[in-house]
Amino acid sequence: MKKILFLFVFLVVAGTGLRADEGMWLPSEIILKIKDMQAKGFKLTAEDIYSINNSSLKDAVVHFGGGCTGEIISNEGLLITNHHCGFGQIQSHSSVEHDYLRDGFWAMTREQELPNPGLTVSFLEYMKDVTEDVLKGYKAGMPEEKRIEIVAKNSKAIEEKAVKEGKSLRATVKPLYYGNQYYLYVFKVFTDVRLVGAPPSSIGKFGGDTDNWMWPRHTGDFSLFRVYAGADNEPAPYSEDNVPYKPKRFFKVNAKGISEGDFTMVYGFPGRTNEYLFSDAVKYTAEKSNPHKIALRTLRLDIQNREMAKDQAVRIKYASKNASVSNAWKKWQGEAKGIFKMRAIENKQDFEAKFTKWAEGKPQYENLVAKFKELYAAIEDLSLVRDYQSEALNAVELIAFAGRGQRGAERFYKDYYMPIDKDCFIALYKAYDKNIDDKYKAPYFKEQLQKFGTVEAWAEALFTEKPNMEMAAEIFRETNRHFNENYAPILDSVNKEITLLYRTYMMGQMEYNKATRGTKVFYPDANSTLRVAYGQVKGYSPSDAVYFTPVSSLDGVIEKDNPEIYDYNIPQKLRDLHAAKDYGQWEVNGSVPVAFIATNHTTGGNSGSPVLDAEGNLIGVNFDRVWEGTMSDVVYDPEVCRNISLDIRFALFVIDKLADADHLLEEMVIVK
Ligand code: ARG
Ligand code: ASP
């Protein structure tokens, strides 16, 4: 089974030659792509990227917290990631008196570095194809339930065995290609990770949510941490006696810079993509789910923004929540637009028609398309009900908090402002009432609304001076119970069938491509595992008669600078440095480079990823994508899909000139 698939994937991938830069590749199989990479300028070997026996670039890449990437840039465990990845930590050390979000933070000595309970940094020890072991005991034709059971049991045994091999290991088995293949990932997890430095938000989050997901961009989106270890250089819980971790490998920094056309590579942990979806799923996302979810988040954002503008303390409390609500809200808009512009739904439908024709007389593929249609139609309504359950009913902070047993109360109240939550409740519960068909509404919701008469009156009873926790818990319990008892089982069972179809459809698409001598490239969807993407520095045209060049500079920061607008109000010191042209060694053509775009295929989770040059040196830190290309999670368009990276020289400039933290530059190896 495994051998057949392996050979199959190999043939498909190896036959493609030079082409556009779509794809997120498995480091351990990068040998399959290395010729193409080298043809595009890469100077190293597959073994340099990933090696089981020797140290390789992978040893300097880490999974940062749950959802970001980071990389090690000194022999003393210094780590760089995005400002928005360290945002929660920076915020948690902040108060109105010490506002590190607003003013930035720089540890001038090791003693000043700040510990972050709960934050982890994970190094990948190795990854391995375990398909055969995961499917041991499974026979073709067994029911899907049985397969799931076998996979879970075998995976658990594999993981348990793997963590026994060493200290502080975490192991996880993940499916690729909808379960056509399985990989084991074994990590070493460090828990003593300290905050070293962060620029003020007016640099690290410059442009805020207005510039988010956009090019041209001028955000200095980085923060610095340090990994600490016990005396034996192994992971250890936080202790004053811990020492900076000595990594197997760290990245040298390339301060020579990049120009258009240069090779770049992104090495990180992309979270989730869905490149092989059936047309109806894309249609649901673009035409229904995204518009509804966007509207619901607009309600929340308007309320948050209004209150945050009034009060500095509220701004701090809601800074992180607001950024995350806004982030997906804006992405969904770009994504839907991109899907329509590319005619992705129609293109998929065309493909499905051809596929169906080709599949005639091939029993395993013959009915796939019809079956997909039927299953997606069966869950369309309920999918929207699910979206409203999470984006409306459960999105009220108090209700979610009470419903989940008031865990983390101290933290919850630290960042809670009831007037915001109350208005959100009113807006969201009204939207649910209006947009969800009566027959799907939770009976409890209907009863309560009837009892109170209006959502406003209901809100008065819930958000009393001391909020009514019992009522909040009841709302959560009752509406979720209704959903979980009546709709979740249907969604689950249909989704199981859909997954099973995709497993076959995945093979079918590959086989079709081969049979028709197609040029489609196949790579497993992102699933928060380590991947390599590569491409080149390149501009793009976002719309008719507009062309964006690929590099931004400090002059652009100054152009956008505006003391009146919170997100564009840069520190006076940066203005002064610019006025005096005091750029030191970081000057390039009379300015300092800030960010650049390239054709690397990335997604959420790639934030903080090292962006490497042809020699494997660090030239940037990935932090975003351009708005016109955000549909790349579903369909990639080489014309407009670009990742956005911080030019590492801007980080060096800020550390040097703004923070006067030369000691940090001294521990890096900077290539000039
Ligand atoms: N869009 C980027 C990503 O998805 C940055 C998000 C953080 N910044 C923000 N303004 N919300 O992570
Ligand atoms: N900003 C994203 C992240 O945090 C990256 C992206 O979606 O392109 O991972």
Side-chain angles (χ1 to χ4, degrees):
M1 160 99 202
K2 179 186 121 184
K3 286 231 180 62
I4 295 168
L5 178 79
F6 221 107
L7 198 66
F8 191 50
V9 172
F10 180 86
L11 288 175
V12 171
V13 173
T16 55
L18 276 182
R19 51 168 298 127
D21 303 318
E22 175 175 3
M24 302 173 172
W25 310 98
L26 300 186
S28 59
E29 288 176 26
I30 203 67
I31 185 82
L32 302 175
K33 300 300 296 180
I34 200 73
K35 276 221 175 73
D36 188 44
M37 292 176 76
Q38 288 164 345
K40 288 172 170 166
F42 190 53
K43 299 278 189 324
L44 305 180
T45 63
E47 187 73 6
D48 292 323
I49 293 175
Y50 180 93
S51 168
I52 311 176
N53 303 311
N54 303 306
S55 95
S56 57
L57 297 178
K58 85 138 185 11
D59 295 315
V61 185
V62 302
H63 211 175
F64 181 85
C68 277
T69 305
E71 56 273 15
I72 304 296
I73 51 171
S74 90
N75 200 25
E76 296 172 80
L78 187 64
L79 178 158
I80 190 166
T81 183
N82 291 144
H83 184 267
H84 80 261
C85 293
F87 201 80
Q89 282 75 33
I90 303 166
Q91 186 204 9
S92 78
H93 294 296
S94 295
S95 59
V96 174
E97 299 80 54
H98 297 281
D99 191 345
Y100 299 140
L101 281 181
R102 189 188 59 202
D103 305 328
F105 169 79
W106 303 99
M108 288 302 172
T109 63
R110 297 276 157 92
E111 288 69 40
Q112 289 171 2
E113 297 178 355
L114 298 171
N116 300 284
L119 177 63
T120 58
V121 157
S122 308
F123 291 78
L124 181 68
E125 295 273 300
Y126 65 91
M127 57 189 283
K128 189 171 138 198
D129 188 325
V130 289
T131 313
E132 223 161 290
D133 293 340
V134 169
L135 294 177
K136 196 167 281 161
Y138 171 75
K139 304 248 165 351
M142 278 183 176
E144 184 65 2
E145 296 293 342
K146 187 77 198 156
R147 190 184 196 271
I148 291 171
E149 201 186 296
I150 290 172
V151 167
K153 195 170 128 259
N154 289 341
S155 298
K156 190 154 171 261
I158 294 167
E159 290 164 359
E160 278 169 4
K161 180 156 170 263
V163 298
K164 281 212 199 94
E165 289 161 11
K167 236 179 99 184
S168 305
L169 296 181
R170 183 173 65 82
T172 166
V173 170
K174 297 243 185 163
L176 301 176
Y177 295 116
Y178 295 94
N180 279 302
Q181 228 179 340
Y182 291 88
Y183 260 81
L184 167 68
Y185 295 84
V186 179
F187 294 93
K188 187 168 273 188
V189 183
F190 288 79
T191 49
D192 185 353
V193 183
R194 304 186 197 169
L195 178 64
V196 172
S201 292
S202 55
I203 291 176
K205 198 175 180 270
F206 180 77
D209 289 303
T210 314
D211 282 14
N212 189 23
W213 296 114
M214 308 271 249
W215 186 256
R217 188 68 157 277
H218 298 88
T219 313
D221 197 345
F222 78 97
S223 60
L224 298 168
F225 288 79
R226 191 184 306 281
V227 181
Y228 278 79
D232 56 358
N233 205 34
E234 290 291 323
Y238 171 80
S239 155
E240 275 184 26
D241 301 333
N242 284 349
V243 291
Y245 170 61
K246 292 259 173 273
K248 283 190 231 166
R249 181 77 173 238
F250 65 91
F251 288 116
K252 291 185 202 155
V253 174
N254 171 4
K256 287 181 292 195
I258 40 86
S259 359
E260 182 143 24
D262 283 358
F263 175 90
T264 63
M265 158 180 157
V266 175
Y267 207 167
F269 290 87
R272 188 90 209 106
T273 57
N274 291 288
E275 310 287 348
Y276 307 101
L277 285 183
F278 186 70
S279 59
D280 288 357
V282 180
K283 195 170 152 70
Y284 174 75
T285 301
E287 292 180 2
K288 214 159 168 185
S289 178
N290 282 9
H292 277 277
K293 292 194 297 189
I294 290 160
L296 289 171
R297 287 199 176 201
T298 303
L299 297 171
R300 281 156 82 188
L301 288 169
D302 287 349
I303 294 163
Q304 291 179 355
N305 292 339
R306 184 190 72 210
E307 295 301 319
M308 287 168 77
K310 284 190 208 160
D311 183 343
Q312 173 70 1
V314 176
R315 181 185 289 286
I316 296 174
K317 282 174 193 274
Y318 276 74
S320 189
K321 295 178 200 172
N322 182 263
S324 76
V325 175
S326 163
N327 193 42
W329 168 81
K330 192 161 178 186
K331 192 217 148 184
W332 290 329
Q333 299 178 47
E335 181 176 71
K337 248 184 112 150
I339 288 171
F340 294 135
K341 188 161 180 201
M342 266 188 90
R343 299 180 54 76
I345 300 164
E346 294 82 350
N347 291 342
K348 286 206 178 247
Q349 286 165 343
D350 287 351
F351 171 79
E352 287 152 13
K354 286 190 211 134
F355 180 86
T356 305
K357 196 137 200 338
W358 169 82
E360 273 169 30
K362 300 185 178 65
Q364 77 269 44
Y365 300 134
E366 207 159 34
N367 296 316
L368 269 182
V369 167
K371 202 85 193 65
F372 267 126
K373 282 214 150 318
E374 187 188 310
L375 292 174
Y376 274 117
I379 53 167
E380 183 166 342
D381 282 4
L382 290 185
S383 299
L384 194 70
V385 175
R386 184 194 48 205
D387 287 343
Y388 270 78
Q389 188 69 39
S390 61
E391 288 289 327
L393 299 184
N394 294 349
V396 175
E397 295 172 65
L398 189 73
I399 291 173
F401 171 65
R404 299 192 171 115
Q406 303 192 35
R407 272 190 305 261
E410 199 183 326
R411 220 198 146 103
F412 176 81
Y413 286 112
K414 178 174 173 283
D415 291 337
Y416 186 65
Y417 185 58
M418 197 157 68
I420 289 185
D421 205 28
K422 182 178 173 186
D423 279 2
C424 285
F425 170 82
I426 295 172
L428 296 173
Y429 277 57
K430 278 183 163 170
Y432 174 85
D433 189 38
K434 178 160 161 255
N435 297 330
I436 292 298
D437 198 314
D438 242 21
K439 70 175 181 236
Y440 295 123
K441 275 181 208 153
Y444 175 84
F445 176 92
K446 291 193 268 194
E447 283 156 28
Q448 294 298 303
L449 191 52
Q450 184 146 47
K451 178 172 139 200
F452 289 107
T454 61
V455 177
E456 282 84 353
W458 190 358
E460 291 306 324
L462 177 58
F463 295 94
T464 39
E465 198 176 309
K466 224 173 137 274
N468 189 336
M469 298 311 284
E470 246 161 68
M471 184 188 281
E474 186 176 282
I475 296 172
F476 186 89
R477 195 172 58 238
E478 290 305 312
T479 64
N480 284 289
R481 191 172 56 79
H482 180 73
F483 181 84
N484 291 333
E485 283 176 3
N486 297 286
Y487 310 137
I490 302 174
L491 283 165
D492 281 355
S493 92
V494 175
N495 279 324
K496 245 175 228 157
E497 280 189 71
I498 288 179
T499 306
L500 180 59
L501 282 194
Y502 273 120
R503 196 175 305 137
T504 311
Y505 188 42
M506 197 64 242
M507 296 295 280
Q509 291 184 57
M510 289 180 176
E511 225 174 291
Y512 171 88
N513 188 62
K514 208 172 130 217
T516 57
R517 299 177 183 278
T519 54
K520 194 164 167 52
V521 273
F522 292 92
Y523 49 92
D525 274 324
N527 58 352
S528 297
T529 62
L530 190 62
R531 301 293 176 91
V532 172
Y534 59 94
Q536 53 173 319
V537 178
K538 200 172 174 184
Y540 76 107
S541 167
S543 58
D544 184 43
V546 181
Y547 187 80
F548 285 153
T549 55
V551 180
S552 68
S553 74
L554 185 60
D555 289 355
V557 176
I558 300 297
E559 280 171 14
K560 288 179 178 173
D561 175 29
N562 184 344
E564 306 286 306
I565 305 175
Y566 182 86
D567 286 325
Y568 294 93
N569 181 11
I570 59 171
Q572 187 55 38
K573 190 162 179 191
L574 187 57
R575 288 186 195 116
D576 296 343
L577 288 168
H578 177 260
K581 289 211 177 286
D582 183 5
Y583 304 147
Q585 52 180 319
W586 317 112
E587 192 241 86
V588 179
N589 300 327
S591 193
V592 182
V594 173
F596 63 90
I597 51 174
T599 61
N600 302 289
H601 189 184
T602 55
T603 187
N606 267 126
S607 270
S609 298
V611 185
L612 305 174
D613 67 9
E615 268 103 37
N617 294 329
L618 190 72
I619 49 170
V621 181
N622 184 74
F623 68 95
D624 212 358
R625 278 171 287 163
V626 304
W627 203 58
E628 297 79 10
T630 44
M631 70 299 186
S632 64
D633 292 349
V634 183
V635 273
Y636 181 94
D637 179 356
E639 294 298 318
V640 294
C641 288
R642 301 287 180 271
N643 69 307
I644 307 180
S645 307
L646 171 73
D647 190 311
I648 196 66
R649 291 169 299 177
F650 191 61
L652 300 175
F653 164 75
V654 169
I655 294 168
D656 179 7
K657 289 289 177 177
L658 202 96
D660 292 314
D662 312 10
H663 59 289
L664 297 175
L665 298 180
E666 275 155 27
E667 55 176 294
M668 302 175 199
V669 176
I670 301 174
V671 186
K672 287 239 199 62

